[in-house]
């Protein structure tokens, strides 16, 4: 039996596009002489549909799409993911389901058992977990079909009574198939292959794992669909961050005739989950995810061009380089806005960067606007000494100018803030925190330096002076980031322990970090939640990003 995986990029709620894409995938699978083609989790509507599934019309359109698709499942079996109504109306009225289509009919339906409610996931809000488990019969084969999270419990998780595959094994299946929408992060990429292989070794069955690709606002799905034979041999790996349709012929004994893909490193070479932030970890994947996230967000939102403030600093430089790669150099406009406190080398560095990237840029000095605002505020400010108010006024002036140009020319403003700044509140609301998409908001400062070096791996794109000079907001004379924040190498490590690893202050201090410094950093994180709550969507590349995956009360007092 030949089984192929259709790794595709769907658009949430775009039923016409998704349906046609699936039909095209079926036709390609037929061309490859496949017996069965497998699509990803909730491919009919796109993942995650969130509150769209609360609309009855949305679910009706899912069923209408299935009716259209099944007409093409004539000589080939098709497995698709879609919400399914719960006919018993016990519990919630929907299941997260997989449908087997064949001979222009719905031949079977299975439901997801383990509904994740952590990080970015909130499936139990919408779906009822499966309460019965059955293999699907197809051309003499017994298919154990599961959906995403179902294979992540191997029966050793105390949160669950048993693994779904344990139930399905009672019916003597011939192979395992998993429809997934598993997002990218720089740790999960390695864990995923390991857990899939662990299922194969436990149940001694081949595994066909089909994952979605594409970016859905802040969440990036990387694809990387996999096929293992019953012995745990990796037989096929579909590409990362791209669409593909490919598969293997499964022999009667559960093996295939494929060689192990050469571009996949053995699981034994993977590092365990890091206890410290590793700046080099999967940096090439992070780079690809960010470029992919920008491009797909613009494509699906029908945006064409981007704008950003180019300061001559590392964050704006990396953002500009990524955006030019994602959207094309002619579609990214950089605005240089020097103030009375900007250094000449910052302007020169930003100009040199745009010349190397060949993107359009403008220089708009903000001195006059800034002085005019200070004059307007003088009766209110009186003769009070220079403070953060005057600093932030420069940032908000820049934000206003960027948004004015964006409105005039239909650009989308890319935000350049990094995770270290967002965590500690080192940013100005309605100023440098303005934007429609946060490109680097899930990258710590030192990761951004690593990204810059990766971007320069073949030639100098980002000028070396941008990488080597001390970071500064340049909002007052001789200002440096270190005047307000701890050294970034230390700051990032403490933030990583608190945010990604959810370590409390005593646990972090026990690692050797200065006690007062830990208390100060955690207080900064907790007291600036109100700022992050007003921030734009952030492309997620870590296991714990600000936004939908990290929900903290604004008025909370914990450790603050």
């Amino acid at each position: 039996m030949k089984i192929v995986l259709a790794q595709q990029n769907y658009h949430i709620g775009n039923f016409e596009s998704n349906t046609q894409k699936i039909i095209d995938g079926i036709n390609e699978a037929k061309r490859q002489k496949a017996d069965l083609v497998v699509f990803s989790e909730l491919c009919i509507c796109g993942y995650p549909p969130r509150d769209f599934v609360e609309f009855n019309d949305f679910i009706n359109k899912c069923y209408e799409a299935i009716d259209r698709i099944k007409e093409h499942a004539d000589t080939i079996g098709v497995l698709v993911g879609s919400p399914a109504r719960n006919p018993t109306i016990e519990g919630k009225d929907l299941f997260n389901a997989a449908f087997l289509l064949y001979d222009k009919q719905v031949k079977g339906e299975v439901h997801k058992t383990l509904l994740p409610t952590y990080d970015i996931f909130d499936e139990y809000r919408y779906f009822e977990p499966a309460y019965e488990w059955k293999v699907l019969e197809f051309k003499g084969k017994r298919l154990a079909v599961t959906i995403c999270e179902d294979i992540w419990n191997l029966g050793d998780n105390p949160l669950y009574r048993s693994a779904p595959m344990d139930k399905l094994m009672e019916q003597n299946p011939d192979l395992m198939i998993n429809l997934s929408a598993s997002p990218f992060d720089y740790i999960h990429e390695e864990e995923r292959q390991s857990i899939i292989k662990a299922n194969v070794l436990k149940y001694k069955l081949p595994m066909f794992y089909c994952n979605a690709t594409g970016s859905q606002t802040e969440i990036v799905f990387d694809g990387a669909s996999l096929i293992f034979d019953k012995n745990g041999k990796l037989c096929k790996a579909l590409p990362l961050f791209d669409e593909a349709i490919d598969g293997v012929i499964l022999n009667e004994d559960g093996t295939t005739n494929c060689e192990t893909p050469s571009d996949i490193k053995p699981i034994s070479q993977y590092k365990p989950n890091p206890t410290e932030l590793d700046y080099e970890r999967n940096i090439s994947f992070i780079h690809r995810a960010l470029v992919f996230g920008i491009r797909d967000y613009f494509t699906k939102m029908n945006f064409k061009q981007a704008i950003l403030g180019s300061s001559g600093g590392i964050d704006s430089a990396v953002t500009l380089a990524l955006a030019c790669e994602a959207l094309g150099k002619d579609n990214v406009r950089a605005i240089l806005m020097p103030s009375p406190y900007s250094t000449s080398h910052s302007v020169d560095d930003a100009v040199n960067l745009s010349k190397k990237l060949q993107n359009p840029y403008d220089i708009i000095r903000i001195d006059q606007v800034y002085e005019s605002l200070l004059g307007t505020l003088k009766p209110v400010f009186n003769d009070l000494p220079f403070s953060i108010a005057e600093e932030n006024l420069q940032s908000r002036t820049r934000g206003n100018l960027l948004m004015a140009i964006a409105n005039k020319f239909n650009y989308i403003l890319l935000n350049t803030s990094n995770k270290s700044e967002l965590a500690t509140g080192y940013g100005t609301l309605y100023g440098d925190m303005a934007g429609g998409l946060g490109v680097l908001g899930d990258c710590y400062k030192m990761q951004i330096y690593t990204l810059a070096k990766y971007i320069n791996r073949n030639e100098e794109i980002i000028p070396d002076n941008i990488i080597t000079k001390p970071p500064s907001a340049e909002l007052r004379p001789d200002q440096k980031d270190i005047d307000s924040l701890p050294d970034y190498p230390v700051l990032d490590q403490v933030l990583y322990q608190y945010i990604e690893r959810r370590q409390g202050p005593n646990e972090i201090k026990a690692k050797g970090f200065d006690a007062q410094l830990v208390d100060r950093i955690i207080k900064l994180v907790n007291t600036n939640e109100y700022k992050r709550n007003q921030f734009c969507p952030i492309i997620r590349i870590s296991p714990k990003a600000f936004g939908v995956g990290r929900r903290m009360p604004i008025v909370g007092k914990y450790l603050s």
Side-chain angles (χ1 to χ4, degrees), residues 407-455:
N407 289 164
K408 196 69 174 178
F409 298 101
N410 296 317
Y411 297 137
I412 296 300
L413 175 58
L414 296 178
N415 185 274
T416 64
S417 299
N418 62 65
K419 192 170 188 175
S420 307
E421 294 172 344
L422 291 173
T424 55
Y426 194 61
T428 304
L429 282 173
Y430 328 118
D432 60 338
M433 292 184 72
L437 180 68
V439 175
L440 299 178
D442 199 26
C443 297
Y444 289 110
K445 187 74 170 187
M446 299 309 296
Q447 285 179 306
I448 293 170
Y449 283 103
T450 306
L451 268 172
K453 293 173 183 175
Y454 181 80
I455 291 169

Short mmCIF file of all heavy atoms in Angstrom, two decimals, residues 407-455:
data_model
loop_
_atom_site.label_atom_id
_atom_site.label_comp_id
_atom_site.label_asym_id
_atom_site.label_seq_id
_atom_site.Cartn_x
_atom_site.Cartn_y
_atom_site.Cartn_z
N ASN A 407 0.10 54.85 7.21
CA ASN A 407 -1.27 55.14 6.78
C ASN A 407 -1.32 55.71 5.37
O ASN A 407 -2.20 55.39 4.58
CB ASN A 407 -1.92 56.12 7.74
CG ASN A 407 -2.23 55.52 9.10
OD1 ASN A 407 -2.47 56.24 10.06
ND2 ASN A 407 -2.24 54.19 9.20
N LYS A 408 -0.37 56.59 5.07
CA LYS A 408 -0.39 57.27 3.78
C LYS A 408 -0.13 56.32 2.62
O LYS A 408 -0.72 56.45 1.54
CB LYS A 408 0.68 58.37 3.78
CG LYS A 408 0.53 59.40 2.66
CD LYS A 408 -0.71 60.26 2.89
CE LYS A 408 -0.81 61.39 1.88
NZ LYS A 408 -2.05 62.18 2.10
N PHE A 409 0.76 55.36 2.84
CA PHE A 409 1.19 54.49 1.74
C PHE A 409 0.78 53.02 1.91
O PHE A 409 1.26 52.15 1.19
CB PHE A 409 2.71 54.58 1.58
CG PHE A 409 3.19 55.96 1.22
CD1 PHE A 409 3.73 56.80 2.18
CD2 PHE A 409 3.07 56.44 -0.08
CE1 PHE A 409 4.18 58.08 1.86
CE2 PHE A 409 3.51 57.71 -0.42
CZ PHE A 409 4.07 58.54 0.56
N ASN A 410 -0.11 52.78 2.87
CA ASN A 410 -0.62 51.41 3.09
C ASN A 410 0.48 50.42 3.45
O ASN A 410 0.52 49.28 2.97
CB ASN A 410 -1.39 50.90 1.87
CG ASN A 410 -2.64 51.70 1.60
OD1 ASN A 410 -3.38 52.04 2.53
ND2 ASN A 410 -2.88 52.05 0.35
N TYR A 411 1.41 50.85 4.30
CA TYR A 411 2.43 49.96 4.84
C TYR A 411 1.93 49.36 6.16
O TYR A 411 1.06 49.91 6.82
CB TYR A 411 3.73 50.72 5.15
CG TYR A 411 4.42 51.35 3.97
CD1 TYR A 411 4.95 52.64 4.07
CD2 TYR A 411 4.59 50.67 2.77
CE1 TYR A 411 5.61 53.24 3.01
CE2 TYR A 411 5.25 51.26 1.70
CZ TYR A 411 5.75 52.54 1.82
OH TYR A 411 6.41 53.11 0.77
N ILE A 412 2.55 48.26 6.54
CA ILE A 412 2.36 47.70 7.88
C ILE A 412 3.65 47.95 8.66
O ILE A 412 4.75 47.65 8.17
CB ILE A 412 2.06 46.18 7.82
CG1 ILE A 412 0.73 45.96 7.11
CG2 ILE A 412 2.03 45.58 9.23
CD1 ILE A 412 -0.47 46.62 7.77
N LEU A 413 3.51 48.51 9.84
CA LEU A 413 4.68 48.82 10.66
C LEU A 413 5.16 47.57 11.38
O LEU A 413 4.41 46.94 12.13
CB LEU A 413 4.33 49.91 11.69
CG LEU A 413 5.42 50.27 12.70
CD1 LEU A 413 6.70 50.73 12.01
CD2 LEU A 413 4.91 51.34 13.67
N LEU A 414 6.41 47.21 11.13
CA LEU A 414 7.04 46.09 11.83
C LEU A 414 7.68 46.61 13.12
O LEU A 414 8.45 47.57 13.10
CB LEU A 414 8.10 45.42 10.96
CG LEU A 414 7.59 44.74 9.68
CD1 LEU A 414 8.77 44.16 8.91
CD2 LEU A 414 6.57 43.67 9.99
N ASN A 415 7.36 45.95 14.23
CA ASN A 415 7.96 46.33 15.50
C ASN A 415 9.30 45.63 15.66
O ASN A 415 9.46 44.47 15.26
CB ASN A 415 7.04 45.97 16.66
CG ASN A 415 7.57 46.45 17.98
OD1 ASN A 415 8.37 45.77 18.62
ND2 ASN A 415 7.16 47.64 18.39
N THR A 416 10.26 46.33 16.25
CA THR A 416 11.62 45.80 16.37
C THR A 416 12.03 45.46 17.80
O THR A 416 13.19 45.14 18.05
CB THR A 416 12.64 46.81 15.79
OG1 THR A 416 12.61 48.00 16.57
CG2 THR A 416 12.30 47.16 14.34
N SER A 417 11.09 45.54 18.76
CA SER A 417 11.44 45.28 20.16
C SER A 417 11.81 43.81 20.36
O SER A 417 11.25 42.92 19.72
CB SER A 417 10.25 45.61 21.07
OG SER A 417 9.90 46.98 20.98
N ASN A 418 12.77 43.56 21.26
CA ASN A 418 13.16 42.18 21.55
C ASN A 418 12.54 41.70 22.86
O ASN A 418 11.92 42.47 23.60
CB ASN A 418 14.69 42.06 21.59
CG ASN A 418 15.31 42.91 22.68
OD1 ASN A 418 15.08 42.68 23.87
ND2 ASN A 418 16.11 43.91 22.30
N LYS A 419 12.70 40.42 23.15
CA LYS A 419 12.06 39.80 24.32
C LYS A 419 12.64 40.33 25.63
O LYS A 419 11.91 40.47 26.62
CB LYS A 419 12.21 38.28 24.24
CG LYS A 419 11.35 37.51 25.23
CD LYS A 419 11.39 36.02 24.91
CE LYS A 419 10.39 35.24 25.76
NZ LYS A 419 10.35 33.82 25.36
N SER A 420 13.94 40.62 25.65
CA SER A 420 14.55 41.14 26.87
C SER A 420 13.94 42.49 27.24
O SER A 420 13.64 42.75 28.41
CB SER A 420 16.07 41.29 26.67
OG SER A 420 16.64 40.08 26.22
N GLU A 421 13.75 43.35 26.24
CA GLU A 421 13.13 44.65 26.48
C GLU A 421 11.68 44.51 26.89
O GLU A 421 11.22 45.17 27.84
CB GLU A 421 13.24 45.51 25.22
CG GLU A 421 14.64 45.90 24.82
CD GLU A 421 14.71 46.58 23.47
OE1 GLU A 421 13.73 46.49 22.70
OE2 GLU A 421 15.75 47.19 23.18
N LEU A 422 10.93 43.69 26.17
CA LEU A 422 9.52 43.52 26.50
C LEU A 422 9.34 42.94 27.89
O LEU A 422 8.40 43.30 28.61
CB LEU A 422 8.85 42.61 25.46
CG LEU A 422 8.71 43.19 24.06
CD1 LEU A 422 8.19 42.11 23.10
CD2 LEU A 422 7.77 44.39 24.05
N ALA A 423 10.23 42.04 28.27
CA ALA A 423 10.12 41.41 29.59
C ALA A 423 10.30 42.44 30.71
O ALA A 423 9.61 42.38 31.74
CB ALA A 423 11.16 40.30 29.73
N THR A 424 11.22 43.35 30.51
CA THR A 424 11.58 44.29 31.58
C THR A 424 10.90 45.64 31.46
O THR A 424 11.14 46.54 32.28
CB THR A 424 13.10 44.50 31.60
OG1 THR A 424 13.53 44.93 30.30
CG2 THR A 424 13.82 43.21 31.96
N GLY A 425 10.07 45.82 30.44
CA GLY A 425 9.39 47.10 30.27
C GLY A 425 10.27 48.18 29.68
O GLY A 425 9.94 49.37 29.78
N TYR A 426 11.38 47.80 29.06
CA TYR A 426 12.31 48.77 28.49
C TYR A 426 11.83 49.14 27.08
O TYR A 426 12.41 48.78 26.06
CB TYR A 426 13.72 48.18 28.45
CG TYR A 426 14.82 49.19 28.18
CD1 TYR A 426 15.04 50.25 29.04
CD2 TYR A 426 15.65 49.05 27.07
CE1 TYR A 426 16.06 51.16 28.80
CE2 TYR A 426 16.68 49.95 26.83
CZ TYR A 426 16.86 51.01 27.69
OH TYR A 426 17.88 51.91 27.45
N GLY A 427 10.71 49.84 27.05
CA GLY A 427 10.10 50.26 25.80
C GLY A 427 9.03 51.29 26.10
O GLY A 427 8.56 51.40 27.23
N THR A 428 8.63 52.05 25.09
CA THR A 428 7.69 53.15 25.26
C THR A 428 6.37 52.83 24.59
O THR A 428 6.32 52.61 23.37
CB THR A 428 8.28 54.44 24.64
OG1 THR A 428 9.55 54.71 25.21
CG2 THR A 428 7.36 55.62 24.89
N LEU A 429 5.31 52.78 25.38
CA LEU A 429 3.98 52.60 24.81
C LEU A 429 3.70 53.71 23.81
O LEU A 429 3.99 54.89 24.06
CB LEU A 429 2.92 52.61 25.91
CG LEU A 429 2.78 51.33 26.73
CD1 LEU A 429 1.81 51.54 27.89
CD2 LEU A 429 2.30 50.17 25.87
N TYR A 430 3.14 53.32 22.65
CA TYR A 430 2.77 54.25 21.58
C TYR A 430 4.01 54.90 20.95
O TYR A 430 3.89 55.84 20.19
CB TYR A 430 1.79 55.33 22.08
CG TYR A 430 0.87 54.81 23.15
CD1 TYR A 430 0.88 55.36 24.43
CD2 TYR A 430 0.02 53.73 22.90
CE1 TYR A 430 0.07 54.85 25.43
CE2 TYR A 430 -0.80 53.21 23.89
CZ TYR A 430 -0.76 53.77 25.16
OH TYR A 430 -1.56 53.25 26.15
N GLY A 431 5.17 54.36 21.27
CA GLY A 431 6.41 54.82 20.66
C GLY A 431 7.08 53.65 19.98
O GLY A 431 6.59 53.15 18.96
N ASP A 432 8.19 53.17 20.56
CA ASP A 432 8.88 52.04 19.94
C ASP A 432 8.14 50.73 20.17
O ASP A 432 8.56 49.70 19.63
CB ASP A 432 10.32 51.95 20.44
CG ASP A 432 10.43 51.75 21.94
OD1 ASP A 432 9.47 52.08 22.66
OD2 ASP A 432 11.48 51.29 22.40
N MET A 433 7.04 50.74 20.92
CA MET A 433 6.22 49.54 21.05
C MET A 433 5.08 49.50 20.04
O MET A 433 4.28 48.57 20.03
CB MET A 433 5.67 49.42 22.48
CG MET A 433 6.74 49.13 23.53
SD MET A 433 6.09 48.89 25.19
CE MET A 433 5.31 47.27 25.01
N ALA A 434 5.01 50.52 19.17
CA ALA A 434 3.97 50.53 18.14
C ALA A 434 4.31 49.51 17.05
O ALA A 434 5.48 49.19 16.82
CB ALA A 434 3.85 51.92 17.54
N GLY A 435 3.30 49.03 16.38
CA GLY A 435 3.54 48.12 15.26
C GLY A 435 2.40 47.16 15.03
O GLY A 435 1.53 46.99 15.88
N GLY A 436 2.39 46.55 13.86
CA GLY A 436 1.37 45.58 13.51
C GLY A 436 1.81 44.15 13.72
O GLY A 436 0.98 43.25 13.84
N LEU A 437 3.13 43.92 13.75
CA LEU A 437 3.67 42.57 13.95
C LEU A 437 5.01 42.69 14.64
O LEU A 437 5.87 43.45 14.20
CB LEU A 437 3.83 41.84 12.61
CG LEU A 437 4.38 40.41 12.68
CD1 LEU A 437 3.36 39.49 13.34
CD2 LEU A 437 4.73 39.89 11.28
N GLY A 438 5.18 41.93 15.73
CA GLY A 438 6.44 41.90 16.45
C GLY A 438 7.34 40.83 15.89
O GLY A 438 7.07 39.63 16.08
N VAL A 439 8.39 41.22 15.21
CA VAL A 439 9.25 40.25 14.54
C VAL A 439 10.20 39.57 15.53
O VAL A 439 10.38 38.35 15.49
CB VAL A 439 10.06 40.94 13.42
CG1 VAL A 439 11.05 39.96 12.79
CG2 VAL A 439 9.12 41.49 12.36
N LEU A 440 10.78 40.34 16.44
CA LEU A 440 11.80 39.81 17.35
C LEU A 440 11.32 39.73 18.80
O LEU A 440 12.13 39.51 19.70
CB LEU A 440 13.06 40.68 17.29
CG LEU A 440 13.75 40.77 15.93
CD1 LEU A 440 14.95 41.70 16.01
CD2 LEU A 440 14.18 39.40 15.44
N GLY A 441 10.04 39.86 19.03
CA GLY A 441 9.53 39.91 20.39
C GLY A 441 9.66 38.61 21.17
O GLY A 441 9.42 38.60 22.37
N ASP A 442 10.04 37.52 20.49
CA ASP A 442 10.27 36.25 21.19
C ASP A 442 11.75 35.86 21.14
O ASP A 442 12.08 34.71 21.42
CB ASP A 442 9.40 35.14 20.59
CG ASP A 442 9.23 33.95 21.54
OD1 ASP A 442 9.34 34.16 22.76
OD2 ASP A 442 8.99 32.83 21.05
N CYS A 443 12.60 36.81 20.78
CA CYS A 443 14.05 36.57 20.73
C CYS A 443 14.74 37.42 21.79
O CYS A 443 14.59 38.65 21.80
CB CYS A 443 14.63 36.93 19.37
SG CYS A 443 14.00 35.95 18.00
N TYR A 444 15.50 36.76 22.68
CA TYR A 444 16.28 37.52 23.65
C TYR A 444 17.39 38.28 22.94
O TYR A 444 17.79 37.94 21.82
CB TYR A 444 16.85 36.58 24.71
CG TYR A 444 15.80 36.01 25.64
CD1 TYR A 444 15.45 34.66 25.59
CD2 TYR A 444 15.16 36.83 26.56
CE1 TYR A 444 14.48 34.14 26.43
CE2 TYR A 444 14.19 36.31 27.42
CZ TYR A 444 13.86 34.98 27.35
OH TYR A 444 12.90 34.47 28.19
N LYS A 445 17.90 39.31 23.62
CA LYS A 445 18.87 40.20 23.01
C LYS A 445 20.09 39.44 22.48
O LYS A 445 20.54 39.68 21.34
CB LYS A 445 19.34 41.24 24.04
CG LYS A 445 20.24 42.33 23.47
CD LYS A 445 19.44 43.33 22.65
CE LYS A 445 20.26 44.55 22.29
NZ LYS A 445 19.44 45.59 21.64
N MET A 446 20.62 38.51 23.26
CA MET A 446 21.81 37.80 22.81
C MET A 446 21.50 36.84 21.66
O MET A 446 22.38 36.54 20.84
CB MET A 446 22.47 37.06 23.98
CG MET A 446 22.94 37.97 25.12
SD MET A 446 23.97 39.35 24.57
CE MET A 446 25.38 38.48 23.90
N GLN A 447 20.27 36.36 21.59
CA GLN A 447 19.87 35.56 20.42
C GLN A 447 19.90 36.41 19.16
O GLN A 447 20.22 35.91 18.07
CB GLN A 447 18.47 34.97 20.63
CG GLN A 447 18.40 33.81 21.59
CD GLN A 447 16.99 33.28 21.76
OE1 GLN A 447 16.07 34.05 22.08
NE2 GLN A 447 16.79 32.00 21.55
N ILE A 448 19.57 37.69 19.30
CA ILE A 448 19.54 38.57 18.14
C ILE A 448 20.95 38.80 17.61
O ILE A 448 21.18 38.86 16.39
CB ILE A 448 18.83 39.88 18.49
CG1 ILE A 448 17.34 39.58 18.77
CG2 ILE A 448 18.96 40.91 17.37
CD1 ILE A 448 16.57 40.72 19.35
N TYR A 449 21.92 38.91 18.50
CA TYR A 449 23.31 39.00 18.04
C TYR A 449 23.71 37.73 17.29
O TYR A 449 24.41 37.79 16.27
CB TYR A 449 24.25 39.23 19.23
CG TYR A 449 24.24 40.66 19.73
CD1 TYR A 449 23.56 41.01 20.88
CD2 TYR A 449 24.91 41.66 19.03
CE1 TYR A 449 23.56 42.33 21.34
CE2 TYR A 449 24.91 42.97 19.47
CZ TYR A 449 24.23 43.30 20.62
OH TYR A 449 24.21 44.60 21.06
N THR A 450 23.25 36.59 17.79
CA THR A 450 23.55 35.33 17.09
C THR A 450 22.86 35.29 15.74
O THR A 450 23.43 34.82 14.74
CB THR A 450 23.11 34.13 17.95
OG1 THR A 450 23.69 34.23 19.24
CG2 THR A 450 23.53 32.82 17.32
N LEU A 451 21.64 35.81 15.67
CA LEU A 451 20.93 35.89 14.39
C LEU A 451 21.68 36.78 13.41
O LEU A 451 21.78 36.46 12.22
CB LEU A 451 19.52 36.44 14.61
CG LEU A 451 18.38 35.44 14.86
CD1 LEU A 451 17.11 36.18 15.25
CD2 LEU A 451 18.14 34.58 13.62
N ALA A 452 22.18 37.91 13.91
CA ALA A 452 22.92 38.83 13.05
C ALA A 452 24.14 38.14 12.45
O ALA A 452 24.43 38.28 11.24
CB ALA A 452 23.33 40.06 13.83
N LYS A 453 24.86 37.40 13.26
CA LYS A 453 26.04 36.68 12.77
C LYS A 453 25.63 35.59 11.77
O LYS A 453 26.34 35.34 10.79
CB LYS A 453 26.81 36.08 13.94
CG LYS A 453 27.45 37.15 14.84
CD LYS A 453 28.07 36.54 16.09
CE LYS A 453 28.63 37.63 17.01
NZ LYS A 453 29.14 37.10 18.28
N TYR A 454 24.46 34.97 12.01
CA TYR A 454 23.99 33.95 11.06
C TYR A 454 23.62 34.60 9.73
O TYR A 454 23.92 34.07 8.65
CB TYR A 454 22.79 33.21 11.63
CG TYR A 454 22.27 32.14 10.71
CD1 TYR A 454 22.88 30.91 10.63
CD2 TYR A 454 21.17 32.40 9.88
CE1 TYR A 454 22.43 29.94 9.75
CE2 TYR A 454 20.69 31.44 9.01
CZ TYR A 454 21.33 30.21 8.95
OH TYR A 454 20.86 29.26 8.07
N ILE A 455 22.97 35.77 9.79
CA ILE A 455 22.61 36.49 8.56
C ILE A 455 23.88 36.85 7.78
O ILE A 455 23.89 36.84 6.54
CB ILE A 455 21.79 37.74 8.91
CG1 ILE A 455 20.40 37.31 9.42
CG2 ILE A 455 21.65 38.67 7.71
CD1 ILE A 455 19.59 38.43 10.05
#
